[in-house]
Amino acid sequence: MRDLVTTAGQTVGPFFHYALPYDGGPHLVPPGSAGAIRLAGTVYDGAGAPVPDAMLEIRQADAAGRVPVVEGSLRRDGVFTGWGRAATDAVGRYAFTTVAPAPTRPGVAAYFAVTLFARGLLDRLFTRIYLPGPELSDDPFLRSLPDDRRRTLVAERDVDGNLRLDLRLQGEQETVFLAFPRHRDR
Amino acid sequence: MAMTATTPPLASQASISEEIERIQHETKPGQTSTRLDFSPYRSTLLRHPVKELRTLDPEEVELYAPVFGHSDVDPTEADLTLHPGGEPIGERMVVTGRVVDGDGRPVRRQLVELWQANAAGRYVHKRDDHPAPLDPHFHGAGRCLTDDDGWYRFTTIKPGPYPWRNHHNAWRPAHLHFSLFGREFTQRLVTQMYFPGDPLLALDPIYQAITEQAARDRLVAAYDHDTSQHEWATGYRWDVVLTGAHATPLEREDSDA
């Protein structure tokens, strides 16, 4: 089939907060529930300043490596949908409450798929947040990256299992951002 | 407002327009996606990646968009003019169109989100300090699900243009913000819909960051008389094409099983 010209993206702008974030958006599971962890970090610009008007969306597998394909993310009712949305706060921080995903198949590491939006960012960016662990060294994509680039994609885990990764839009330690094959221009 | 020594004077529209034209000339023809590195929109300077994006095949997590349904969205959320206190001020309009993927397949039963300024060009947002009136009967955010053939439909009022501080005497053309999902996580789109014949389009560094005219045109709705409603609302038609999907529908059925 022929490729159609796709509709181009435009910045989410500065005024999305009353429309896109919603109650429960960052809580894929209730805080404090069994197996709940925090996934958090700060979004920085190219000068190292926090970005207070960014928004992240995450998509993930569950603790057994299954990707849920169920509705209910906007009005959560105890069902794990594997999708969440969080705006950054006044000092650029984002935070989700969720469960740690497992790999979806042998030979690849577990990660959160991430979409990032911000004022001043003209189109969405895709990236991944990997969980730390021994599987990382076998993951074909991570192996294809030089050490300093790979580090931008791997979260740190604290003793409670909470994950932390900062995202950097630009600069020396810029996050590795992703394109998928069907994103090509035509 | 007093200008401090560290604040550079705001650029004129003429110099911004010149910069837009120069970058568009330098951009290779055929780039239909929006440039991330586009200095006429000043806030991009420190917010665009300078390293190349890494292209990779999506894994399973990225092959499934989030799913939304009637438990998520109430049908009344598609009418932004509904307000318990009364009708909003402005030109009532219906905006409708079809969402398809890069292969022309309709995106069925998927979430579409809309947010916008009111008829005076003011958002219900605590950081919008444009001295235009708020409308007590207009919130300016809505949602709907596409139908089985990919159609979405909103009733709202036409937003006004508004000033911003990108450069001296800068005005955003009237627009609706849209947020769309496809069948895959990779197809996510946030964009803006504009109105035909708006003289501000030529001056706008956000719209002009799409360097190819044909791709820019895709963001401009068409007035559609068949959508207009007798003695009630004008109608606009705006279709959306998401990027192509990576998994074929057949593969998807297999993996759903």
Side-chain angles (χ1 to χ4, degrees):
Chain A
M1 232 180 276
R2 80 195 169 91
D3 275 354
L4 301 169
V5 178
T6 54
T7 306
Q10 295 269 268
T11 182
V12 74
F15 300 135
F16 60 85
H17 295 88
Y18 74 93
L20 297 183
Y22 59 93
D23 287 347
H27 302 305
L28 286 78
V29 299
S33 57
I37 60 157
R38 218 171 118 86
L39 167 67
T42 299
V43 181
Y44 292 102
D45 72 10
V51 178
D53 37 22
M55 186 179 83
L56 278 77
E57 291 173 354
I58 59 169
R59 184 81 174 116
Q60 64 167 106
D62 62 18
R66 285 183 301 256
V67 182
V69 185
V70 289
E71 65 182 69
S73 296
L74 295 182
R75 292 181 188 157
R76 298 195 192 275
D77 191 18
V79 176
F80 180 72
T81 63
W83 184 83
R85 173 185 280 171
T88 56
D89 67 12
V91 286
R93 292 177 305 200
Y94 71 89
F96 292 96
T97 309
T98 187
V99 295
T104 53
R105 62 183 173 91
V108 296
Y111 64 87
F112 299 89
V114 178
T115 322
L116 177 61
F117 309 86
R119 178 182 68 84
L121 178 60
L122 274 160
D123 202 357
R124 82 277 181 267
L125 289 170
F126 291 97
T127 185
R128 291 175 174 178
I129 297 175
Y130 281 88
L131 281 70
E135 314 81 51
L136 294 182
S137 49
D138 296 329
D139 184 90
F141 170 62
L142 290 176
R143 282 167 62 112
S144 75
L145 299 173
D147 279 353
D148 62 326
R149 304 293 293 135
R150 182 164 57 234
R151 271 197 291 276
T152 70
L153 297 180
V154 182
E156 283 176 22
R157 182 158 37 207
D158 71 13
V159 288
D160 297 320
N162 295 319
L163 298 166
R164 190 179 167 84
L165 185 68
D166 296 337
L167 303 182
R168 292 173 197 278
L169 282 167
Q170 191 186 81
E172 264 312 286
Q173 298 173 69
E174 183 177 305
T175 299
V176 172
F177 294 108
L178 306 174
F180 298 102
R182 296 296 302 274
H183 289 177
R184 66 179 180 275
D185 282 314
R186 63 125 286 148
Chain B
M1 197 167 61
M3 192 84 81
T4 65
T6 54
T7 311
L10 290 174
S12 66
Q13 179 67 53
S15 74
I16 290 286
S17 292
E18 203 175 296
E19 205 174 319
I20 289 171
E21 201 176 329
R22 181 174 50 74
I23 296 172
Q24 288 183 347
H25 271 291
E26 288 166 3
T27 307
K28 69 176 166 61
Q31 176 165 344
T32 54
S33 57
T34 311
R35 279 186 69 114
L36 297 175
D37 174 7
F38 198 69
S39 58
Y41 175 18
R42 297 302 194 223
S43 299
T44 63
L45 291 175
L46 292 168
R47 293 187 175 194
H48 70 86
V50 292
K51 301 181 196 293
E52 231 178 295
L53 306 189
R54 297 283 300 212
T55 299
L56 84 173
D57 289 326
E59 285 284 339
E60 194 181 342
V61 177
E62 286 133 350
L63 290 177
Y64 292 96
V67 180
F68 300 96
H70 295 296
S71 69
D72 293 294
V73 183
D74 188 275
T76 59
E77 292 182 75
D79 188 344
L80 286 76
T81 68
L82 290 179
H83 192 283
E87 289 265 333
I89 301 288
E91 302 171 42
R92 191 184 297 112
M93 63 174 187
V94 170
V95 179
T96 186
R98 198 164 173 242
V99 186
V100 300
D101 73 10
D103 298 311
R105 285 189 292 253
V107 176
R108 300 186 169 101
R109 298 178 294 278
Q110 187 51 293
L111 178 67
V112 180
E113 295 163 289
L114 163 68
W115 72 105
Q116 62 170 101
N118 68 21
R122 177 88 185 263
Y123 286 88
V124 179
H125 191 287
K126 59 182 187 294
R127 288 208 289 271
D128 186 356
D129 54 6
H130 171 39
L134 283 167
D135 182 340
H137 302 145
F138 191 69
H139 183 65
R143 295 170 177 154
C144 75
L145 296 172
T146 56
D147 70 11
D148 282 349
D149 206 25
W151 288 86
Y152 73 86
R153 184 184 180 90
F154 289 103
T155 302
T156 184
I157 52 104
K158 197 171 180 184
Y162 58 84
W164 60 314
R165 300 191 176 95
N166 187 69
H167 54 281
H168 180 69
N169 202 14
W171 289 82
R172 290 298 329 279
H175 59 274
L176 304 180
H177 292 270
F178 270 85
S179 155
L180 300 123
F181 296 80
R183 294 180 302 140
E184 293 183 3
F185 185 79
T186 64
Q187 293 173 302
R188 185 80 174 95
L189 176 68
V190 166
T191 190
Q192 300 179 23
M193 185 208 95
Y194 301 95
F195 292 88
D198 190 334
L200 294 170
L201 287 171
L203 309 177
D204 181 43
I206 293 179
Y207 174 69
Q208 295 291 335
I210 306 161
T211 53
E212 190 89 356
Q213 182 70 52
R216 277 202 298 279
D217 290 346
R218 269 217 168 278
L219 298 196
V220 181
Y223 170 73
D224 182 25
H225 201 65
D226 290 335
T227 299
S228 292
Q229 293 178 348
H230 179 65
E231 294 186 358
W232 183 249
T234 54
Y236 287 88
R237 167 92 187 258
W238 184 59
D239 295 337
V240 177
V241 181
L242 303 178
T243 55
H246 296 79
T248 66
L250 191 63
E251 283 167 343
R252 196 169 297 275
E253 275 168 33
D254 287 347
S255 58
D256 281 350

